[in-house]
Amino acid sequence: MMQHEAHVQYVPMRMNMPAEPGEAGLRPLSARSVVLSLLLGAHPPQLPVKDLVRLVEPFGVGASTLRAALSRMVAAGDLRRTDAVYGLSDRLLARQRRQDDAVHPRTRAWHGDWEMVVITATGRGPAERAELRARLVALRLAELREGVWLRPANLGRPLPDDLHRVARTYTARPDESPQDLVALLWPLDDWAATARSLLSRTGGARRPADRLTAFAAAVRHLLTDPVLPPSLLPPDWPGEALRTAYAAYQRDLAASVGRREHLA
C-alpha cells in the first residue's frame, strides 16, 4: 500500500470513543454472555459441554438453561459444535483476536508520524459506511472530520492492504501540537474516569457473577483504548492497570478450567 507524506491542518468535528453508558458499562449477565465470556477468555476457545456445565454453575446458570443457550448460539452462528465440544465461530474468533490485542497491544517507538486514512469511495450505502466506520475504529483510528481518519503511528501493525479499495493512506505530520490534536480526537478524561471506576469495581467484586460482569465491562472498555504513545497521554493514565487486572482475571479463569478438567 503506497503511503504519502502530508501535513495536517485540522478542523474539530466531534469526539471519538464515547464513554461506556450507565454503571461504567456494566450489563446484567445472561447464559449467553457467561458462555461467551468464558470461551473468549479460553485458549484454545473451546470447551466440552460437561466442563461448561460446571463452569457456569457459580454464575447462577443451570444445566438446562445452559443447554438451551448453547443450542440457540449454534443456530445463530456464535458457536460451532463438534460432538460434545463447543467452540467459537470464525466471527467470534476475530472478536477474540481483537480482545487479545486490547489486553496485549503491540506497539513500537513513536517518532512523531501519524497514520492518516482519507476515504475516497463514493456511492456506498448506509450499511457499507457503518461497516467501514466500525472497521476503522477497530484499527484505533479516530475521525478528524468526515472521511478523514488518523492516529499516531505507534502501533505494531500495518494498515490492511484492502483499504486501498475505498481510501488513500498517508504518513502525516501535524502542523500544530500533537497533544492538541489528541485532545480533539479522543475524550481521554472520560475514558480514564470510566477505567478507574471499572478498576474499583473489579477490585471489589467477590461473587463470581459480579467479577465476570465487571471484567466483561473492563475488556469492552479496553477495546476503545486508543493506545497512544506515553508522551501523548495524561498523567496517571489507567490503561495499563486495567489491562493488567483483566489479564490476571483471564489467568484465574484458565486455572479454574484446568482444575475442573483435572477433577473430572
Side-chain angles (χ1 to χ4, degrees), residues 1-33:
M1 180 184 301
M2 183 173 292
Q3 293 184 320
H4 306 270
E5 292 289 338
H7 289 278
V8 179
Q9 292 182 324
Y10 50 90
V11 178
M13 180 182 175
R14 60 180 183 80
M15 299 298 277
N16 296 274
M17 194 185 65
E20 289 278 357
E23 296 265 332
L26 301 183
R27 302 173 184 173
L29 287 174
S30 65
R32 178 181 182 275
S33 63

Side-chain angles (χ1 to χ4, degrees), residues 27 32 55 58 60 62 66 71 81-82 90 97 104 109 147 149 155 164 167 173 188 190 205 214 231 256 263:
R27 302 173 184 173
R32 178 181 182 275
L55 287 166
L66 170 67
S71 295
R81 177 181 176 180
T82 304
D90 289 342
R97 288 191 291 271
H104 305 287
W149 295 74
L155 294 182
H164 76 274
R173 287 250 177 172
L188 297 184
D190 292 344
S231 61
S256 176
L263 293 172

Side-chain angles (χ1 to χ4, degrees), residues 41-61:
H43 295 79
Q46 59 185 35
L47 288 168
V49 67
K50 62 182 178 64
D51 290 334
L52 283 169
V53 169
R54 297 189 190 100
L55 287 166
V56 302
E57 185 179 2
F59 304 104
V61 178

Side-chain angles (χ1 to χ4, degrees), residues 218-248:
V219 77
R220 287 196 301 272
H221 196 54
L222 285 172
L223 288 167
T224 67
D225 183 351
V227 190
L228 297 172
S231 61
L232 299 182
L233 289 172
D236 302 320
W237 179 252
E240 188 58 35
L242 192 60
R243 283 191 286 273
T244 298
Y246 183 77

Side-chain angles (χ1 to χ4, degrees), residues 21-105:
E23 296 265 332
L26 301 183
R27 302 173 184 173
L29 287 174
S30 65
R32 178 181 182 275
S33 63
V34 171
V35 170
L36 287 184
S37 292
L38 291 171
L39 288 174
L40 285 166
H43 295 79
Q46 59 185 35
L47 288 168
V49 67
K50 62 182 178 64
D51 290 334
L52 283 169
V53 169
R54 297 189 190 100
L55 287 166
V56 302
E57 185 179 2
F59 304 104
V61 178
S64 59
T65 300
L66 170 67
R67 293 180 189 277
L70 291 173
S71 295
R72 289 193 297 269
M73 294 169 74
V74 170
D78 294 330
L79 300 180
R80 293 182 295 192
R81 177 181 176 180
T82 304
D83 296 326
V85 177
Y86 289 86
L88 297 178
S89 66
D90 289 342
R91 172 172 55 82
L92 287 173
L93 284 173
R95 175 176 164 183
Q96 186 188 51
R97 288 191 291 271
R98 292 194 300 272
Q99 179 174 300
D100 289 346
D101 185 58
V103 180
H104 305 287

